[in-house]
């Protein structure tokens, strides 16, 4: 999410930010985020191990996806997008893997990459990561401690530059969440064993989300950066440095891996990128250096199709075998009625929301306007008209940090989203706003009118139209502002009045910190420029709380603070949706794991 989609739960982006989502998807059905994290400080604790199964070769598979791959470097604020996760989840190596078991997300150790990941001390917290001896990048260089160190360096470097708003921001454009708790990294066993020692007073409960947002983030080839920058050993560059060497490293990290270059954009997983036009088509093939069981599809063609009906037509015409379009009611009903196809639909971790640009005087100086907008929003109408036919259990969303089917969920927005015209008008009038001859309220230099920007997606256009209705009756004008590059360019540059988009979440929550933290406190994904130091402090404290129940309470306290600020209004949990030829499977959708491609390697012909 990046823009289009986005990510969160107790983790994200470079290990800590939500991914933007263009369409839907993100989680699973059933309870999510259960007791797996209950005792993250237990000595010797290790999650279940996942290994890719041995399967038959099924040849070439074509998939229609809603948004095209455009960036190999998907782990910085400027490029973080779910569209890239679709391809990279089977390319970038990640110590943890998000499995989908009996309708639930289960975070497991990726046993193809890792021998083990263990808690070896809890005071101070020390985690030992053992990389498999045979694990190598697609150029034959080993995956090792240097790659872990690079992610830590990028997240914790003290080198900064002035951002557009005048604040000091990291030259690496990477969120520090989780990494900043690590005091040192030590390597042994020919650099295949990595030991991360956390500061004594800074344990990190969601350590599973560093070096890997399960399925969405992962390691980058440090040796490529070294070769391209002339840095002999990245591990000799320290977080405290602020010289030409660290600037050179950051320059490559933020720009050298952008887009796609076959010599630089390496794979450390089952597939590699063979070719891409960075828009309409990306081709994946098996990685010849992969040491695990080869995936079922030998060649995968990701075809971009932003239109749900058109993608359905492609599936029916056998131009593609699998589609992952927007959760469109008509498409869902159409395909469910035909035994030739299999449909997957369930409430996931992806959620739609509207963010106000908090640097804009209209919103920054008028909290009552933000409240009135929330009051005139008709969230139930959105669910009934856009979501119910896909997921009958869908309800309006009342939290920015948890989904309705997660342990610990509390609704803090129940007083909003009811399409209450009278309440919205009263809020404005009590604050001195006057309704003009054109029906729109105004106060001094301000007029209750704003553009609501979003990527060109039919459901989002419909969302704006539904929101416009009640708000217009309340004297608030919402102007449709859609653009194909809204997520990839304008959203990340904060060039909007208000933005309608989705974050793709996950069972870990610490990573979402980077989406809401102040820019100068690590908010690399904070596109609406929101800032509340109390939120920064409480979220950081929650990230270091090893008691599961206490952490849930603290996360809800953070959400209440954001509800009071009303910088963002949650709309609804977006159903994960995918469909396929009934002869191909198993097909499911795990947004944090790459959407419909999360288990690509296991696909078989029935």
């Amino acid at each position: 999410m990046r823009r289009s989609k986005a990510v969160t739960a107790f983790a994200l982006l470079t290990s800590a930010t939500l991914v933007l989502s263009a369409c839907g998807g993100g989680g699973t059905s059933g309870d999510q985020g259960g007791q797996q994290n209950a005792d993250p400080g237990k000595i010797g604790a290790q999650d279940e191990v996942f290994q890719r199964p041995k399967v038959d070769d099924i040849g070439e598979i074509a998939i229609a996806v809603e948004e095209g791959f455009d960036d190999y470097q998907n782990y910085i604020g400027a490029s973080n997008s779910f569209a890239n996760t679709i391809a990279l989840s089977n390319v970038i190596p990640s110590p943890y893997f998000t499995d989908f078991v009996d309708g639930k997300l289960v975070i497991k150790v990726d046993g193809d990459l890792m021998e083990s990941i263990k808690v070896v001390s809890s005071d101070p917290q020390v985690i030992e990561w053992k990389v498999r001896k045979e694990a190598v990048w697609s150029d034959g260089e080993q995956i090792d401690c240097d790659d872990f160190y690079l992610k830590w360096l990028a997240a914790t470097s003290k080198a900064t530059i002035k951002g557009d708003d005048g604040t000091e921001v990291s030259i690496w454009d990477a969120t520090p969440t989780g990494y900043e708790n690590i005091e040192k990294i030590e390597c042994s066993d020919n650099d295949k064993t990595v030991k991360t020692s956390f500061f004594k007073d800074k344990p990190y409960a969601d350590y599973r989300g560093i070096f890997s947002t399960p399925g969405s983030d992962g390691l980058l080839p440090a040796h490529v950066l070294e070769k391209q920058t002339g840095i002999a050993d990245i591990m000799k560059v320290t977080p405290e440095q602020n010289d030409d060497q660290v600037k050179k490293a950051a320059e490559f990290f933020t720009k050298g891996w952008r887009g796609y270059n076959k010599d630089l954009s390496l794979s450390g997983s089952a597939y590699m990128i063979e070719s891409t036009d960075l828009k309409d088509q990306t081709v994946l093939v098996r990685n010849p250096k992969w040491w695990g069981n080869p995936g079922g599809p030998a060649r995968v063609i990701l075809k971009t199709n932003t239109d749900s009906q058109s993608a359905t037509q492609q599936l029916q015409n056998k131009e593609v075998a699998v589609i992952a379009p927007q959760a469109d009611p008509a498409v869902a009903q159409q395909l469910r009625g035909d035994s030739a196809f299999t449909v997957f639909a369930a409430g996931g971790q992806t959620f739609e929301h509207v963010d106000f640009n908090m640097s804009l005087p209209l919103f920054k100086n008028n909290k009552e306007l933000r409240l009135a907008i929330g009051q005139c929003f008709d969230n139930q109408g959105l669910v009934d008209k856009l979501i119910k036919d896909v997921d009958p259990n869908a309800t309006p969303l009342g939290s920015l940090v948890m989904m309705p089917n997660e342990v610990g969920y509390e609704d803090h927005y129940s007083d909003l989203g009811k399409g209450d015209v009278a309440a919205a008008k009263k809020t404005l009038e009590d604050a001195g706003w006057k309704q003009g001859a054109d029906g729109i309220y105004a106060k001094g230099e301000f007029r209750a009118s704003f553009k609501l920007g979003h990527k060109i997606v039919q459901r989002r256009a419909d969302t704006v139209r539904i929101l416009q209705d009640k708000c217009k009756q309340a004297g608030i004008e919402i102007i449709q502002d859609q653009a194909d590059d809204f997520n990839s360019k304008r959203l990340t540059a904060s060039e909007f009045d208000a933005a309608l988009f989705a974050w793709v979440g996950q069972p870990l929550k610490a990573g979402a910190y980077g989406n809401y933290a102040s820019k100068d406190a690590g908010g690399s994904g904070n596109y609406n420029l929101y800032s509340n130091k109390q939120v920064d402090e409480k979220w950081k404290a929650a990230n270091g709380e090893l008691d599961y129940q206490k952490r849930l309470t603290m996360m809800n306290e953070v959400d209440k603070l954001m509800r009071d600020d009303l910088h963002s209004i949650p709309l609804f949990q977006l159903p994960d949706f995918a469909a396929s030829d009934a002869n191909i499977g198993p097909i499911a959708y795990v947004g944090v794991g790459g959407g419909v491609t999360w288990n690509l390697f296991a696909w078989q012909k029935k």
Side-chain angles (χ1 to χ4, degrees):
M1 214 253 25
R2 252 221 289 339
R3 283 100 11 299
S4 187
K5 271 185 168 134
V7 188
T8 176
F10 253 10
L12 264 247
L13 197 43
T14 285
S15 147
T17 301
L18 287 189
V19 168
L20 269 184
S21 160
C23 56
T28 70
S29 60
D31 289 340
Q32 299 178 10
Q35 295 296 319
Q36 186 176 10
N37 238 11
D39 192 5
K42 183 178 180 181
I43 302 299
Q46 178 174 229
D47 293 290
E48 293 179 61
V49 175
F50 176 87
Q51 286 191 291
R52 290 155 186 78
K54 187 173 183 178
V55 294
D56 296 331
D57 185 335
I58 62 171
E60 183 176 283
I61 288 288
I63 308 169
V65 296
E66 188 193 8
E67 193 172 13
F69 169 84
D70 64 10
D71 229 314
Y72 176 80
Q73 174 48 293
N74 198 40
Y75 315 116
I76 56 176
S79 61
N80 171 33
S81 174
F82 178 77
N84 300 323
T85 304
I86 295 171
L88 295 177
S89 60
N90 285 280
V91 173
I92 298 294
S94 175
Y96 278 100
F97 177 83
T98 305
D99 201 2
F100 184 46
V101 183
D102 297 329
K104 298 180 182 180
L105 294 178
V106 181
I107 299 172
K108 299 180 178 180
V109 173
D110 187 332
D112 288 316
L113 176 67
M114 308 298 296
E115 285 187 15
S116 64
I117 304 173
K118 294 181 179 180
V119 178
V120 297
S121 172
S122 58
D123 187 18
Q125 186 180 33
V126 178
I127 314 297
E128 178 189 77
W129 317 69
K130 283 185 173 290
V131 183
R132 295 182 69 94
K133 300 294 189 292
E134 61 269 44
V136 295
W137 293 100
S138 50
D139 64 355
E141 291 287 331
Q142 69 175 17
I143 299 173
D144 60 21
C145 195
D146 286 10
D147 306 315
F148 284 75
Y149 184 89
L150 174 60
K151 295 302 285 284
W152 178 64
L153 174 65
T156 61
S157 173
K158 303 300 188 295
T160 62
I161 56 173
K162 280 193 179 298
D164 294 336
D165 61 355
T167 60
E168 292 291 328
V169 296
S170 169
I171 62 174
W172 297 80
D173 194 19
T175 181
T177 305
Y179 296 103
E180 64 186 349
N181 297 44
I182 298 173
E183 181 178 16
K184 60 182 177 180
I185 291 181
E186 298 171 283
C187 310
S188 60
D189 191 24
N190 192 31
D191 283 349
K192 284 292 187 174
T193 295
V194 183
K195 187 168 73 172
T196 55
S197 297
F198 292 73
F199 289 101
K200 187 173 179 59
D201 60 343
K202 292 183 179 180
Y204 188 61
D206 289 331
Y207 63 83
R208 296 176 182 87
I210 52 175
F211 309 118
S212 60
T213 292
S216 300
D217 196 358
L219 304 172
L220 293 170
H223 70 280
V224 170
L225 181 146
E226 291 173 336
K227 182 177 180 181
Q228 294 299 312
T229 61
I231 295 174
D233 185 356
I234 192 62
M235 293 191 67
K236 291 184 179 179
V237 179
T238 69
E240 289 71 31
Q241 282 182 231
N242 191 10
D243 55 16
D244 289 342
Q245 193 174 43
V246 73
K247 291 174 183 176
K248 190 184 302 182
E251 175 82 4
F252 180 81
F253 188 84
T254 56
K255 297 179 180 179
W257 273 315
R258 296 296 300 274
Y260 169 73
N261 181 317
K262 66 178 182 179
D263 295 323
L264 308 179
S265 307
L266 305 183
S267 170
S269 192
Y271 288 86
M272 62 187 296
I273 299 171
E274 180 183 66
S275 63
T276 179
D277 61 10
L278 298 177
K279 183 179 180 182
D280 296 322
Q281 181 168 296
T282 295
V283 178
L284 304 178
V285 294
R286 294 193 188 111
N287 174 8
K289 294 292 186 178
W290 174 244
W291 56 95
N293 287 322
R299 193 166 187 262
V300 181
I301 304 175
L302 300 174
K303 299 182 177 182
T304 305
N305 190 336
T306 60
D307 184 85
S308 299
Q309 288 289 345
S310 175
T312 302
Q313 192 67 51
Q314 285 182 299
L315 179 63
Q316 293 171 326
N317 293 342
K318 298 187 181 302
E319 297 172 46
V320 298
V322 181
I323 62 173
Q326 289 283 324
D328 183 287
V331 167
Q333 293 178 345
Q334 181 181 359
L335 294 177
R336 279 179 176 142
D338 192 331
S339 61
F341 307 106
T342 299
V343 172
F344 175 90
Q349 283 279 350
T350 301
F351 64 99
E352 295 275 287
H353 55 102
V354 170
D355 282 6
F356 301 116
N357 189 329
M358 297 300 287
S359 69
L360 201 68
L362 177 66
F363 294 127
K364 180 179 181 179
N365 301 340
N366 298 290
K367 183 178 179 179
E368 71 276 3
L369 176 60
R370 306 198 301 272
L371 174 58
I373 293 170
Q375 290 170 324
C376 71
F377 274 7
D378 184 9
N379 293 3
Q380 187 63 58
L382 294 175
V383 170
D384 291 343
K385 296 173 183 177
L386 304 177
I387 303 300
K388 280 285 189 181
D389 285 344
V390 180
D391 181 6
N393 298 316
T395 60
L397 181 61
S399 173
L400 290 173
V401 302
M402 294 184 188
M403 296 298 101
N405 53 345
E406 282 190 294
V407 173
Y409 171 80
E410 294 179 4
D411 186 348
H412 301 132
Y413 293 77
S414 59
D415 59 325
L416 303 180
K418 298 181 180 299
D420 194 333
V421 172
K425 296 180 75 170
K426 184 177 187 304
T427 294
L428 291 176
E429 290 173 2
D430 286 350
W433 291 72
K434 305 295 183 183
Q435 197 164 15
D438 59 358
I440 305 303
Y441 279 92
K443 182 177 73 170
E445 64 182 292
F446 301 112
R447 186 167 178 267
S449 173
F450 65 96
K451 294 179 179 180
L452 183 51
H454 63 87
K455 180 179 171 62
I456 297 178
V457 173
Q458 186 59 49
R459 191 196 67 254
R460 294 222 169 103
D462 292 340
T463 295
V464 175
R465 280 191 284 271
I466 293 170
L467 296 178
Q468 284 174 323
D469 180 35
K470 294 290 186 180
C471 287
K472 184 177 182 180
Q473 295 177 45
I476 298 172
E477 181 181 51
I478 301 176
I479 301 168
Q480 183 96 248
D481 178 22
Q482 54 184 331
D484 188 53
D485 63 354
F486 181 81
N487 284 347
S488 60
K489 293 185 179 179
R490 289 178 53 197
L491 180 62
T492 52
S494 303
E495 295 175 355
F496 57 84
D497 292 351
L500 168 65
F501 66 105
W503 284 125
V504 177
Q506 67 157 318
L508 301 177
K509 300 298 181 185
Y513 169 87
N515 292 356
Y516 301 112
S518 305
K519 279 289 188 178
D520 60 357
S524 58
N526 181 355
Y527 303 130
N528 70 326
L529 306 177
Y530 167 64
S531 179
N532 182 325
K533 295 303 181 183
Q534 199 174 3
V535 167
D536 299 346
E537 293 168 5
K538 282 186 174 290
W539 203 317
K540 279 190 176 183
N543 292 348
E545 177 54 63
L546 299 185
D547 183 291
Y548 180 75
Q549 292 300 329
K550 288 182 180 179
R551 194 159 69 254
L552 290 179
T553 297
M554 295 168 77
M555 291 305 302
N556 275 304
E557 289 174 352
V558 167
D559 195 58
K560 289 175 185 176
L561 285 172
M562 293 198 289
R563 160 60 184 84
D564 289 343
D565 289 338
L566 280 176
H567 71 96
S568 178
I569 299 177
L571 301 178
F572 53 82
Q573 178 185 25
L574 195 61
D576 292 338
F577 184 83
S580 68
D581 183 309
N583 293 318
I584 298 292
I587 301 298
Y589 193 109
V590 177
V592 69
V596 73
T597 61
W598 75 277
N599 66 339
L600 172 66
F601 49 80
W603 290 0
Q604 291 286 272
K605 291 182 178 178
K606 299 178 183 177

